[in-house]
Amino acid sequence: MLVGMGSALSGSGATTALCTIPTMRPIFEKQKIRATCLLFIESLASGVIILLPWAPGINEASAYVGVDVYDVFLFIRPLIIFCIIACLVLCIPLSIIEKRNGAGMTDEEFAQMKKEMDQPLNLPFGRNVAIFDAVVTIALLAGLLAGVVKTNLGFGFCFCLLLFVNFKNKKDRDEYIKRHSPQALNMAFTMLGIACLVGVNSGTGALAELATFIAGSVSSDILRHLPFILCILSLPLSITIGGSKNSVILPTIIPLVLELNLGFSAVQILGCVFATGVISANLNLFNAAPYLALSLAGDVPMKDHLKYSLLPMYGFSLLMIVFMVVSGMLPI
């Protein structure tokens, strides 16, 4: 969970997946913890941290409504702190559930894993190359987390650099690329298919029309309770219609609520509704990052990810609503 939160500071779902899943997958496999559990932890950790003000999603949502993103962040800051604590506590029931599904290690297996981890590092290319690789990796992560390096440019440049440093001759480089190209090609074609699907939906306006229909179907009698209702529906809407919730529904609904002078502000409505939905970013069928995570976890089918993660994620969203109601952030 902490690894996922740390890598999610870049605001990029792809960076979170690339830093978290390959790092933790060997440990999870040794402990017989299911890959879907790893995906859920990575998804929830990144979903909480991308509430920070430099994340692209919250900036776009704030721009659609016409409010300052830092004002939104200041409003939801207590919620972010609560979510971080709740995520860490959630690891306890997750471990119990996984143990009931066969996870765990015998004392002998734990001793063996500890022995393997205590073994001296195998440096096939030598100590100097290993130090260079570590420096480049740390510099890349620092650049990504600081927001000064774009994910695609940073990973592409560093891959080429390390490829030539670690493999001195062309034959070794070609063999390395051939060994890993099948997984890369599968991932690329998956992302291409998702991009085509998103492009078709955007071009036809189907998602925007659906969002407009939802906004127009709301009766005036329930407008006073609409922020609370939107928070309950925020996660399902985020998964099914994606960005149209922020670009169409909220800009349509917020002015209606403000005109009634019910004591809600635009910052308050946006912060509550956005936060309770964005935690599902890595369950969204129209984003590329979830499919990258699925590939890194061992080509896990999306249906298995949804089967494991959807209900717990929605439960966490409802827990956020309870906190906001009790703390007075979200009057019912």
Side-chain angles (χ1 to χ4, degrees), residues 9-23:
L9 289 172
S10 65
S12 169
T15 301
T16 307
L18 287 165
C19 294
T20 304
I21 296 178
T23 302

Side-chain angles (χ1 to χ4, degrees), residues 31-251:
Q31 295 185 353
K32 304 179 185 67
I33 301 176
R34 291 174 290 179
T36 48
C37 180
L38 174 58
L39 286 167
F40 171 67
I41 292 174
E42 182 265 340
S43 300
L44 184 59
S46 63
V48 170
I49 297 301
I50 58 176
L51 291 171
L52 296 175
W54 57 78
I58 194 170
N59 277 274
E60 293 176 3
S62 300
Y64 287 133
V65 179
V67 298
D68 187 272
V69 65
Y70 196 70
D71 291 339
V72 179
F73 166 69
L74 291 178
F75 174 74
I76 63 174
R77 185 166 54 182
L79 178 64
I80 297 175
I81 296 173
F82 168 78
C83 288
I84 292 174
I85 297 173
C87 284
L88 298 178
V89 174
L90 183 62
C91 293
I92 298 175
L94 282 178
S95 64
I96 296 174
I97 293 173
E98 288 304 306
K99 189 173 182 179
R100 290 177 178 175
N101 282 274
M105 306 179 73
T106 64
D107 293 339
E108 292 76 13
E109 290 173 333
F110 179 77
Q112 179 62 29
M113 185 180 73
K114 185 177 180 181
K115 183 178 179 181
E116 293 174 358
M117 295 176 67
D118 290 339
Q119 291 292 328
L121 291 176
N122 181 22
L123 306 176
F125 303 108
R127 183 172 179 270
N128 292 333
V129 174
I131 293 175
F132 179 81
D133 290 351
V135 170
V136 171
T137 302
I138 294 174
L140 173 61
L141 292 178
L144 292 171
L145 295 177
V148 298
V149 179
K150 296 290 185 181
T151 304
N152 53 353
L153 177 62
F155 279 102
F157 174 79
C158 289
F159 170 75
C160 294
L161 176 63
L162 295 180
L163 183 65
F164 280 87
V165 170
N166 286 268
F167 301 95
K168 303 299 183 182
N169 58 71
K170 184 178 182 298
K171 180 180 178 181
D172 291 339
R173 290 194 295 269
D174 290 343
E175 290 179 355
Y176 178 82
I177 293 175
K178 289 179 181 179
R179 188 163 64 249
H180 293 278
S181 59
Q183 181 180 4
L185 287 174
N186 289 336
M187 188 184 307
F189 279 112
T190 299
M191 291 185 175
L192 179 62
I194 296 301
C196 292
L197 178 61
V198 173
V200 170
N201 285 327
S202 300
T204 59
L207 294 181
E209 289 181 7
L210 176 60
T212 303
F213 172 77
I214 294 174
S217 300
V218 177
S219 68
S220 58
D221 295 334
I222 63 172
L223 280 177
R224 63 182 67 253
H225 305 296
L226 195 54
F228 178 75
I229 297 173
L230 282 177
C231 286
I232 295 177
L233 299 176
S234 182
L235 189 141
L237 289 175
S238 295
I239 294 176
T240 53
I241 67 175
S244 294
K245 184 195 72 177
N246 300 323
S247 62
V248 179
I249 290 184
L250 288 178

